[in-house]
Amino acid sequence: MYNAAMDAIQTSIFDLYQIGPGPSSSHTIGPMCASLAFREMLADRTEGLARTEAIEVVLLGSLSATGKGHGTPEAILAGLLGYAPAEVQPEQIEQLRDPKADLPAMNLAGRSIPLTRETVRFGEILHDHPYSNTMIFRALGGGAVLWEITMYSVGGGFIEYPGQESPGRNAPEFDYTSMATLEAQIESSGLDLAELILRNEQAITGATANEIETHLEKILAVMCDSVSRGLEAEGVLPGPIGLHRKARSLYHRAMSKRNSPQRMLMLNSYALATAEENAAGHIVVTAPTLGACGVLPAALMGMREMMQIDPQQCRDSLLVGAAIGMLAKHNASIAGAEVGCQGEIGVASAMAASMFAWAHDYSPRVVANAAEIALEHHLGMTCDPVAGCVQIPCIERNAMGVVKAYNAFLLASEGDWSSQKITFDQVLATMLATGRDMSSRYKETSAAGLAVNTIEC
Ligand code: SF4
């Protein structure tokens, strides 16, 4: 039975929207956060620290299968060196990736612990740990393991591990665990959905409305900046595929059109731009993941540039999208390694569809229906990245995700919303069940699908 005190969503919107380097929230940001946490815990263990001579990190599951193409070893090394995702520069990660460059030593309280290319190694893909993306961190000394801890990257940059301290969150002002309970809270409070999520964020984190809005401005700015940079950039993306960027040329073609395809082409080019920046390892925002990071910026640019939605409403629509993402995270999953791409691009598309509906002043029911339609038509979508890189099919999937989001908004807003038979809660339950039934070969392991039926890299 639902227990509000135990189950209410206490995730901060800024846990969902995290700024950091691409290309993957579960394989780059999560591992970097985990190794930073390991570094801090090791520093606190004076006994172990004094005898530590080396560090070993073993990657299991999807991290082992596709970690190389996703930049996981460099992310782990960056965390061990004390870099946090929001502060690290892409060039610093690039240096760690260069096989010819010497690695700096890990400096802990004045002690120097060497790091080598063997510090991070790839372990079994199939294992019995509760999450696919599993990392075992070990402090080694005197030929023995002095201390070890197992951590999990559970999608969207979130990590979990035994003994993890609670982030010290308070109860939300309006507790909800499902779209049904969220709609009930909107109804009884008389608040708009974005206002309700803002009030909850204040209650959960203790931040003021001004502080939250300032942080949202920053998220919006980083998202828009990723589109602008991606529309300027040309050339080949890093990695073995040799994939050329497409956003810039598509954008210029869109600018030359004067009829209805222009809007679709623009949305496509915006999504490609951010997804290409992500693939290049540049700074983007998880929304809800990095693999799917192009969908929301494209929706926001579309609202601002093509739909005359004012900037404040664009910013506040991020609160609405966050509500959808948090429901997906709490009731299903936003990790490709857990439920396939339906949990990444599908959820991002649902978030964007809800934002389109809210920004056009539709009711909470239409907002929920738009999210439901967008996610419903991503059900069953697998994760099969070619060569383990977040490029094919990921980049174009972002473009498809925002176009489907726009169409879901049209279907929800122009149709008879009262005749909608499937709810967002039902489609989330379906996504989770479908993800559980999906073979692990289709969950970010590059062991099936496009990854094995296309080009050899
Ligand atoms: S296929 Fe989808 S879930 Fe898999 S890495 Fe690409 S964007 Fe992420």
Side-chain angles (χ1 to χ4, degrees):
M1 170 175 283
Y2 168 56
N3 179 330
M6 277 176 57
D7 299 336
I9 290 176
Q10 286 180 290
T11 305
S12 162
I13 55 175
F14 301 114
D15 292 335
L16 198 73
Y17 298 132
Q18 293 183 53
I19 298 170
S24 167
S25 40
S26 57
H27 289 53
T28 311
I29 290 189
M32 199 185 303
C33 292
S35 61
L36 190 59
F38 166 76
R39 176 193 161 94
E40 284 162 7
M41 284 187 280
L42 184 60
D44 286 343
R45 304 176 87 87
T46 340
E47 268 299 296
L49 174 63
R51 291 158 50 214
T52 300
E53 294 163 1
I55 303 296
E56 178 184 66
V57 186
V58 185
L59 306 178
L60 302 177
S62 167
L63 290 177
S64 178
T66 59
K68 189 159 184 282
H70 284 56
T72 308
E74 301 85 85
I76 296 266
L77 292 169
L80 291 176
L81 291 167
Y83 295 121
E87 289 143 22
V88 72
Q89 296 304 310
E91 306 80 57
Q92 291 169 313
I93 301 265
E94 203 51 53
Q95 278 176 359
L96 297 174
R97 185 174 299 134
D98 182 355
K100 294 191 213 87
D102 289 335
L103 290 176
M106 177 178 171
N107 194 312
L108 269 186
R111 270 172 49 79
S112 183
I113 301 170
L115 298 177
T116 71
R117 299 286 163 198
E118 284 71 50
T119 297
V120 183
R121 66 180 179 83
F122 298 102
E124 295 88 26
I125 293 172
L126 295 178
H127 59 77
D128 295 329
H129 292 277
Y131 293 100
S132 174
N133 291 327
T134 295
M135 297 156 279
I136 302 172
F137 290 87
R138 295 188 176 119
L140 310 175
V145 176
L146 303 174
W147 176 60
E148 76 170 39
I149 184 164
T150 302
M151 298 188 178
Y152 310 104
S153 176
V154 299
F158 291 82
I159 57 168
E160 292 183 9
Y161 52 90
Q164 187 173 17
E165 278 182 25
S166 134
R169 299 275 156 78
N170 307 311
E173 185 176 352
F174 304 98
D175 57 72
Y176 67 92
T177 55
S178 62
M179 183 59 84
T181 49
L182 179 57
E183 285 187 271
Q185 290 284 22
I186 294 168
E187 172 96 32
S188 61
S189 68
L191 291 172
D192 173 87
L193 174 52
E195 288 168 348
L196 187 147
I197 298 298
L198 178 65
R199 292 260 293 261
N200 265 8
E201 183 71 13
Q202 289 178 258
I204 290 167
T205 63
T208 65
N210 269 348
E211 287 167 341
I212 295 164
E213 282 161 4
T214 302
H215 200 153
L216 277 175
E217 294 280 2
K218 183 170 181 194
I219 296 293
L220 183 62
V222 175
M223 285 184 171
C224 293
D225 194 42
S226 69
V227 176
S228 304
R229 278 188 278 111
L231 291 180
E232 286 295 316
E234 290 178 287
V236 176
L237 291 167
I241 304 177
L243 190 67
H244 283 264
R245 288 178 181 254
K246 293 183 191 151
R248 181 185 160 96
S249 61
L250 193 66
Y251 177 72
H252 285 287
R253 250 174 253 143
M255 294 292 279
S256 67
K257 306 256 186 230
R258 285 286 171 269
N259 48 19
S260 54
Q262 186 187 42
R263 180 171 281 199
M264 285 297 150
L265 282 175
M266 295 291 255
L267 279 179
N268 276 297
S269 67
Y270 295 149
L272 292 183
T274 297
E276 287 171 357
E277 281 297 282
N278 177 58
H282 295 166
I283 300 296
V284 285
V285 180
T286 60
T289 66
L290 289 190
C293 71
V295 178
L296 261 63
L300 288 159
M301 289 292 282
M303 288 196 270
R304 199 179 75 180
E305 303 295 320
M306 300 171 347
M307 301 170 202
Q308 285 73 54
I309 305 292
D310 78 62
Q312 190 174 327
Q313 220 171 347
C314 287
R315 180 197 70 196
D316 292 347
S317 74
L318 282 167
L319 294 160
V320 174
I324 300 298
M326 290 193 281
L327 284 170
K329 173 168 167 41
H330 284 262
N331 293 300
S333 172
I334 55 171
E338 300 296 324
V339 294
C341 199
Q342 54 178 352
E344 296 205 11
I345 297 287
V347 171
S349 186
M351 292 165 73
S354 72
M355 290 161 64
F356 281 133
W358 181 83
H360 286 87
D361 294 328
Y362 283 96
S363 68
R365 174 51 55 88
V366 173
V367 169
N369 286 351
E372 185 284 316
I373 293 168
L375 185 55
E376 181 184 327
H377 301 291
H378 284 91
L379 285 178
M381 195 159 80
T382 59
C383 169
D384 51 359
V386 172
C389 296
V390 190
Q391 297 183 8
I392 300 174
C394 319
I395 294 173
E396 286 180 357
R397 277 208 180 149
N398 279 271
M400 296 302 291
V402 72
V403 168
K404 276 195 194 179
Y406 186 65
N407 205 37
F409 152 61
L410 293 179
L411 285 170
S413 58
E414 299 297 329
D416 174 7
W417 60 263
S418 62
S419 68
Q420 180 96 357
K421 296 287 187 201
I422 310 290
T423 67
F424 186 67
D425 293 327
Q426 290 167 333
V427 85
L428 276 183
T430 308
M431 179 175 83
L432 180 62
T434 306
R436 284 183 175 151
D437 284 344
M438 204 181 270
S439 161
S440 64
R441 296 187 307 132
Y442 292 97
K443 293 195 274 194
E444 216 162 353
T445 53
S446 291
L450 284 173
V452 299
N453 288 311
T454 51
I455 46 182
E456 289 201 3
C457 300

